[in-house]
Amino acid sequence: MFLIIPGNPGVADFYRLFMRAVYQEAMGALDVVCIAHAGHSYGNHNKGRVFDLQEQIQHKIAYVRRVIDDDPSVRIFLAGHSVGAHICVEVMKAVPRENIVKSFMLFPTVMHIGDTPNGRRLDRIFNPIPRFLISSVVTPLLALLPKSVVHLISSIHLGHDDPVITQGIQHLLDRNLANNALYMARTEMDSIHEPDVEALREFNDKCVWYWTQDDNWAPMHLCDKLRRVVPNAHIEMDRAGLKHAFVIGGSEIMAKLLAPHLHQAVIGSEAQ
């Protein structure tokens, strides 16, 4: 299984093209799954409840444990994007080591997220009053726009015209989803500080880290810090100019970056 743990917002629709690309690169030998964050789906499924980062972590641990309970021999590739990489670390700490093949850390926010350029710039909008105004006033007003207008605006703003991405953006205009994304971000800022060095070293053989230049959520000085605290960390640099939100226009490129590791594991499994 290849399990994607998304960034924030954790809308699974954004990862559909990446899922397809990974499935193709793995030659159909892996089930590819993306688990959305709790409360990050369209509609009020939780009666207005919001989920903090720790609850999102427990949500993913519970899912992986259930997968392992159903098939104790299952081999799982984790792929954590942005804060999803932080969640991957916590998942690895909570489940049997032998079930995790690799954990791909895609433009990870595993330390000092509030001190990143985007963390400093956006911190205030995650506070209660701005969060209320955005989720209860701005978002419902934008949701009144015709889908064709949303598609046009998103295409111009993102420089990428894809109906899958547009659908994900349309879902962001749900007030409950917006409220959950902003609340989760607040708890990220408040809790992701120093890296869990002990865990990063313990699972170093499982982790493959991907960094890109000019990432305002995962800047290069944090990659340098990772190298200092885990000197033999497996770090691969993107040379294709991918953005932090690689799922917008870069899904196939990212899947190709992961492909050598997937091929090696799939071929090794078939040889056993």
Side-chain angles (χ1 to χ4, degrees), residues 56-67:
Q56 299 291 359
I57 291 169
Q58 293 305 315
H59 176 243
K60 310 309 177 292
I61 290 173
Y63 175 78
V64 174
R65 282 176 172 167
R66 189 166 73 176
V67 169

Side-chain angles (χ1 to χ4, degrees), residues 192-207:
I192 300 179
H193 300 298
E194 289 296 329
D196 186 342
V197 176
E198 181 178 351
L200 296 183
R201 290 175 177 172
E202 179 182 355
F203 298 106
N204 182 46
D205 61 318
K206 304 286 188 182
C207 295

Side-chain angles (χ1 to χ4, degrees), residues 70-179:
D70 289 343
D71 180 5
S73 66
V74 67
R75 304 171 74 244
I76 302 171
F77 291 88
L78 297 174
H81 175 215
S82 194
V83 71
H86 173 80
I87 297 175
C88 281
V89 175
E90 297 303 313
V91 169
M92 287 190 290
K93 289 162 60 175
V95 304
R97 179 185 180 89
E98 60 269 19
N99 291 106
I100 306 299
V101 183
K102 287 290 180 184
S103 186
F104 300 112
M105 310 301 218
L106 313 178
F107 310 155
T109 55
V110 295
M111 62 183 97
H112 305 298
I113 187 172
D115 294 328
T116 64
N118 277 352
R120 291 191 296 269
R121 182 171 62 89
L122 298 173
D123 182 82
R124 290 183 181 180
I125 73 170
F126 306 140
N127 291 332
I129 293 177
R131 175 164 60 89
F132 171 80
L133 292 174
I134 292 170
S135 61
S136 299
V137 180
V138 177
T139 297
L141 288 174
L142 291 175
L144 296 175
L145 294 173
K147 290 184 179 181
S148 59
V149 175
V150 174
H151 181 90
L152 177 62
I153 293 173
S154 63
S155 298
I156 294 172
H157 179 68
L158 300 175
H160 187 73
D161 181 12
D162 191 288
V164 172
I165 299 300
T166 301
Q167 183 176 2
I169 291 172
Q170 192 77 44
H171 287 179
L172 288 180
L173 301 182
D174 176 88
R175 66 169 64 194
N176 294 293
L177 196 162
N179 192 31

Side-chain angles (χ1 to χ4, degrees), residues 2-7 10-12 15 19 33-38 56 59-64:
F2 186 96
L3 177 62
I4 300 166
I5 301 179
V11 178
Y15 294 83
M19 293 170 69
V33 177
C34 179
I35 179 169
H37 293 318
Q56 299 291 359
H59 176 243
K60 310 309 177 292
I61 290 173
Y63 175 78
V64 174

